[in-house]
Amino acid sequence: MSEKPRVSLAVVKRLPKYYRYLGLIADKGIIRVSSQELSKITGLTASQIRQDLNHFGGFGQQGYGYNVEELKSEIEKIIGIDKSYKAIIVGMGNIGQAIYKYRGFNEASGFKIVGLFDKDKNTIGRTMSGIKVNDIKNINKFLQKEDVDIAVVAVPADSAQEVCDILVEGNVKGIWNFAPIDLKLPKDVVLENVHLDESLFTLTYYMNNLKDYPGTKN
Amino acid sequence: MSEKPRVSLAVVKRLPKYYRYLGLIADKGIIRVSSQELSKITGLTASQIRQDLNHFGGFGQQGYGYNVEELKSEIEKIIGIDKSYKAIIVGMGNIGQAIYKYRGFNEASGFKIVGLFDKDKNTIGRTMSGIKVNDIKNINKFLQKEDVDIAVVAVPADSAQEVCDILVEGNVKGIWNFAPIDLKLPKDVVLENVHLDESLFTLTYYMNNLKDYPGTKN
């Protein structure tokens, strides 16, 4: 692994934003952009932007700014979306199905979904956009044959840890978890949670405590 | 509005976790719990827990701990889920439909969905679990008749701001946004984002930069 400095979660969370805005700028045919211009678009300060990007090596040139395509492609590499990933979805309820159909999570975006799993007898065997839903009991065997990088966990909270233990055993390296539970995983398996309930409760909290609300910030 | 102290986003984000764990503890018939016991379950330190809960007035008693049901119901009030909210969903694609079916966002949980909107001619007029999908053009009129507290925005990024301007005009007080865009809203309208792309890219970033990964933490 390379010798990059440790980067905080806040910086990591801003990278997709930079990537998104650079995509919009590139689509307009703009070739270079200054940190001041990026600041206007993103709402972040120019010095914040320069500082963030300096974590990964200085891309900009004093007085020239950033080459849009170059910076975009560098950020793509940093985020790791210049590669492709094999993924499975475990739990084909509403959330699992929505993620399966989500445009940001398909082969064109670098995520090849190679397996769908559920425990419901009525769902197992159904073909969804070309893939047959497999019995959740077969995950072990599936992972022995197929190298899976990412697993989406969209099962109920009470079975999510058990599912994850099987995924870890099967050498899955990243878990995108939608179950409302705090999973325990070994340090080398990356967990990213989407906790809808917590998000919704944050909304209601601030609606009821407007004075605490920090306002919309990018 | 009451004179509670300002509370940081980190504390606000932990409240739903406390609520969730207290629910699990209450389901087991446990009547009281100490901050040490809560610490074991949640993975947070006991002093962190006491400090968090002290923001909202000290609920615990030295040597006794917290009354589980009481603390749960207090947190319910703090989060604002002791009330009920009227909600609409704008954009009935995959994400909109998944949120509509999401158990955490139904009448039993305090969220009454009173309207569904889409701009697609094939979707407008369809009845989904008892509600007919309305033309997105009719939101203005709808909001004049109906007091809506929360709107779920699940439209494509390029129409999300326009939709939000209409929602703000129609006196919606909270926006749960799933569009991959940074919305601009007046200060008294609360925005909560679920940015799936950013979540996914955080996952891939850490999979590729394992040394930066802070590990699973509650």
Side-chain angles (χ1 to χ4, degrees):
Chain A
M1 229 167 275
S2 64
E3 290 289 323
K4 288 180 210 149
R6 280 194 72 87
V7 172
S8 76
L9 181 62
V11 178
V12 173
K13 287 275 180 196
R14 282 195 290 271
L15 290 173
K17 273 192 207 296
Y18 291 127
Y19 180 68
R20 172 155 51 85
Y21 282 111
L22 287 165
L24 294 173
I25 295 169
D27 286 349
K28 287 184 188 161
I30 295 168
I31 289 162
R32 63 182 171 131
V33 69
S34 67
S35 47
Q36 285 77 13
E37 288 163 330
L38 274 176
S39 164
K40 266 184 222 156
I41 308 167
T42 60
L44 300 163
T45 68
S47 88
Q48 174 83 84
I49 293 168
R50 283 193 299 267
Q51 209 179 315
D52 282 356
L53 298 176
N54 276 341
H55 276 106
F56 305 97
F59 303 120
Q61 277 174 45
Q62 191 78 38
Y64 174 87
Y66 301 98
N67 177 300
V68 175
E69 280 298 347
E70 211 174 280
L71 182 57
K72 184 169 166 261
S73 117
E74 283 300 325
I75 291 181
E76 216 167 73
K77 279 182 214 159
I78 295 164
I79 300 176
I81 47 174
D82 56 327
K83 311 179 184 175
S84 62
Y85 299 86
K86 280 192 190 172
I88 60 172
I89 301 176
V90 190
M92 292 307 290
N94 306 319
I95 302 289
Q97 285 184 46
I99 296 302
Y100 184 37
K101 290 175 198 157
Y102 173 51
R103 278 175 305 165
F105 197 60
N106 60 21
E107 204 167 352
S109 305
F111 302 93
K112 185 173 184 187
I113 296 171
V114 295
L116 306 175
F117 296 87
D118 204 280
K119 68 168 184 178
D120 177 44
K121 291 212 159 54
N122 296 316
T123 309
I124 296 165
R126 265 212 255 168
T127 299
M128 295 187 181
S129 311
I131 300 183
K132 198 179 263 190
V133 179
N134 204 330
D135 191 328
I136 208 164
K137 285 181 194 156
N138 300 328
I139 294 186
N140 302 52
K141 267 187 259 167
F142 186 90
L143 293 175
Q144 280 166 22
K145 285 184 302 178
E146 189 94 54
D147 278 330
V148 171
D149 304 297
I150 294 173
V152 176
V153 173
V155 298
D158 56 7
S159 50
Q161 183 64 56
E162 193 189 341
V163 163
C164 279
D165 294 344
I166 296 168
L167 295 170
V168 168
E169 184 69 29
N171 219 17
V172 169
K173 287 302 171 207
I175 288 175
W176 201 16
N177 173 48
F178 290 78
I181 183 174
D182 299 315
L183 296 165
K184 305 234 180 299
L185 297 173
K187 270 193 176 167
D188 61 344
V189 179
V190 176
L191 172 68
E192 171 67 15
N193 291 310
V194 178
H195 283 168
L196 289 176
D197 55 345
E198 293 183 14
S199 175
L200 181 58
F201 293 168
T202 303
L203 178 68
T204 57
Y205 175 83
Y206 283 125
M207 288 174 71
N208 287 282
N209 297 275
L210 208 50
K211 70 188 184 322
D212 290 341
Y213 180 55
T216 59
K217 34 174 190 32
N218 293 354
Chain B
M1 226 166 277
S2 64
E3 290 288 323
K4 288 180 210 150
R6 281 194 73 85
V7 172
S8 75
L9 181 62
V11 178
V12 173
K13 288 275 180 195
R14 281 195 290 271
L15 290 173
K17 274 191 207 296
Y18 290 127
Y19 179 68
R20 172 156 51 86
Y21 282 110
L22 287 165
L24 295 173
I25 295 169
D27 286 349
K28 286 185 189 159
I30 295 167
I31 288 161
R32 62 180 171 132
V33 67
S34 66
S35 47
Q36 284 77 12
E37 287 162 330
L38 273 177
S39 165
K40 266 185 220 154
I41 307 169
T42 61
L44 300 163
T45 67
S47 88
Q48 173 82 83
I49 293 168
R50 284 192 299 267
Q51 209 178 316
D52 283 355
L53 298 176
N54 275 341
H55 275 106
F56 305 97
F59 303 120
Q61 277 174 46
Q62 192 77 40
Y64 174 86
Y66 302 98
N67 177 301
V68 174
E69 279 299 345
E70 213 175 278
L71 183 57
K72 184 168 166 262
S73 118
E74 282 301 324
I75 291 181
E76 216 166 74
K77 279 183 214 157
I78 295 164
I79 300 175
I81 46 175
D82 57 327
K83 309 179 185 176
S84 63
Y85 300 87
K86 279 193 191 173
I88 60 171
I89 301 177
V90 190
M92 292 306 290
N94 305 320
I95 302 289
Q97 285 183 48
I99 296 302
Y100 184 37
K101 291 174 197 157
Y102 174 51
R103 278 174 304 165
F105 196 61
N106 59 20
E107 203 167 353
S109 306
F111 302 92
K112 185 174 184 187
I113 296 171
V114 294
L116 305 175
F117 296 88
D118 204 280
K119 66 168 185 179
D120 178 45
K121 292 213 156 54
N122 296 316
T123 308
I124 296 165
R126 264 211 255 169
T127 298
M128 295 187 181
S129 310
I131 301 184
K132 199 180 261 190
V133 179
N134 203 329
D135 191 329
I136 207 164
K137 285 179 193 155
N138 300 329
I139 295 186
N140 302 52
K141 266 186 261 169
F142 186 90
L143 294 175
Q144 280 165 24
K145 287 184 301 181
E146 189 95 54
D147 278 329
V148 172
D149 305 297
I150 294 174
V152 176
V153 173
V155 299
D158 54 9
S159 51
Q161 183 64 56
E162 194 189 340
V163 163
C164 280
D165 294 343
I166 296 168
L167 295 170
V168 169
E169 184 70 29
N171 220 17
V172 169
K173 288 300 171 209
I175 288 176
W176 201 17
N177 172 50
F178 290 78
I181 184 174
D182 298 314
L183 297 165
K184 306 236 180 297
L185 296 173
K187 270 192 176 170
D188 61 344
V189 179
V190 176
L191 172 68
E192 171 67 15
N193 291 310
V194 178
H195 282 169
L196 289 176
D197 55 345
E198 293 182 14
S199 175
L200 181 58
F201 293 169
T202 303
L203 178 67
T204 57
Y205 175 84
Y206 283 126
M207 287 173 71
N208 287 282
N209 298 275
L210 207 51
K211 69 189 184 322
D212 290 339
Y213 180 56
T216 59
K217 36 178 186 32
N218 294 354

